[in-house]
Amino acid sequence: RSGREIVLIDNRRFYRNVGIGVGVTALGIGVGLALAPPAYSIPRDKYIVEYDGASDDDIYDALSAPPVAELERPYSLDEIRYTRSLREYMRRIDLDTVNFEFGSFEVTPDQYPKLERLARMIHRMLERNPAEVFFIEGHTDAVGSDEDNLTLSDRRAESVAEILMSQFDVPIENLVTQGYGEQFLKVETEAPERLNRRVAFPRITPLLGLQGR
C-alpha cells in the first residue's frame, strides 16, 4: 500500500546444504525435521491461550512473544508446515469460540464478530512489522476417513483466513493455512467431539527468521 516491497517468505535459501529429510507424510510430500519439542517454563494457559476466556492483552502477548526456547536457525515454510515440534516453539491461540458443525467447514455469519479481536491484534502487529506471518491450523475430530478429514481441515483453515481478509481487512499475504485432519486431537476420543473441530493460530515469523525485517 505504501509502495514498499516486503519479502515475506523465500524458501530458496533453505534447500542448499541443509540436512533435511524429504518424504511422504499424511499431508503429502513434505519436508520433515527430527527436532525435539521445546522445554518451556511458562504456565500452560499462557503457552496455549484459549481465545474465549482471554483478554486482548493475553492474545497480543501470546502472538507477539518470542519462541519459548532458542532456535538453531531460521526454517523454511515447508519445514514449519511438516514439523509439529517446530511449531511448538511458538505460543498459540486456540480459537475455541469458532466451532464447526460435524462435516462442515462453514463459519456462519453469526460467528464473524468472534474474530474481530483477533483481527485487531493482527493489525496492531502488522503496524509494527509488516512482514509478520501468521499460521492458521485446521483440525477435525476422529470420525471419517483420513483423506476426507484432511480436506475438511484445510477448508476450515481457509474459511477463517477468508473471513479475516474479507470482513476485517487482514492482508491475505500475511496468513498461511494448513489442515492437519485428525492428527492432533485436543480431546483424545474416536467419537464426534466439537472441541476437536477447531482452528489454532500461532505466529511463525520468528521461525522464518523474519524478526526485525
Side-chain angles (χ1 to χ4, degrees):
R1 201 163 13 185
S2 65
R4 295 173 58 198
E5 182 178 280
I6 300 167
V7 176
L8 295 174
I9 298 167
D10 183 355
N11 281 337
R12 293 173 298 180
R13 62 190 171 124
F14 293 97
Y15 297 104
R16 304 186 188 101
N17 303 317
V18 176
I20 57 178
V22 180
V24 178
T25 72
L27 307 179
I29 297 176
V31 178
L33 297 173
L35 184 69
Y40 61 91
S41 58
I42 62 174
R44 181 73 175 179
D45 63 346
K46 297 294 185 182
Y47 176 58
I48 301 175
V49 175
E50 304 288 347
Y51 187 68
D52 188 28
S55 68
D56 286 4
D57 286 343
D58 291 334
I59 296 169
Y60 184 80
D61 288 347
L63 289 181
S64 60
V68 296
E70 187 175 349
L71 295 165
E72 294 181 356
R73 59 176 175 85
Y75 296 87
S76 73
L77 180 58
D78 281 347
E79 289 172 310
I80 296 167
R81 283 186 190 275
Y82 294 106
T83 310
R84 183 187 188 186
S85 58
L86 177 56
R87 297 192 302 277
E88 290 177 344
Y89 276 73
M90 301 305 300
R91 295 167 63 182
R92 74 169 189 263
I93 308 296
D94 267 11
L95 293 173
D96 52 339
T97 59
V98 178
N99 293 129
F100 298 90
E101 295 300 326
F102 180 76
S104 172
F105 58 84
E106 180 185 10
V107 179
T108 54
D110 62 293
Q111 296 195 76
Y112 291 179
K114 297 177 180 179
L115 293 170
E116 186 271 335
R117 288 195 306 147
L118 178 61
R120 277 196 287 112
M121 298 305 105
I122 295 171
H123 281 295
R124 181 177 166 187
M125 295 188 65
L126 290 177
E127 288 175 3
R128 183 188 68 178
N129 177 17
E132 294 284 8
V133 181
F134 302 92
F135 198 71
I136 305 177
E137 301 179 5
H139 301 275
T140 70
D141 58 26
V143 180
S145 71
D146 291 346
E147 293 82 2
D148 287 346
N149 283 340
L150 187 57
T151 299
L152 183 59
S153 64
D154 272 329
R155 300 294 294 275
R156 285 175 176 168
E158 290 165 2
S159 292
V160 171
E162 171 64 27
I163 293 164
L164 288 171
M165 179 191 68
S166 63
Q167 301 296 316
F168 301 108
D169 297 321
V170 172
I172 197 67
E173 59 268 23
N174 294 91
L175 303 175
V176 175
T177 65
Q178 179 66 56
Y180 293 99
E182 61 188 74
Q183 290 184 82
F184 309 123
L185 299 175
K186 189 170 186 175
V187 179
E188 290 291 339
T189 177
E190 296 296 311
E193 173 54 64
R194 182 175 289 272
L195 290 177
N196 286 331
R197 303 194 292 269
R198 71 197 192 281
V199 291
F201 197 89
R203 164 177 160 262
I204 62 170
T205 320
L207 304 183
L208 293 163
L210 295 174
Q211 307 100 305
R213 291 183 56 179

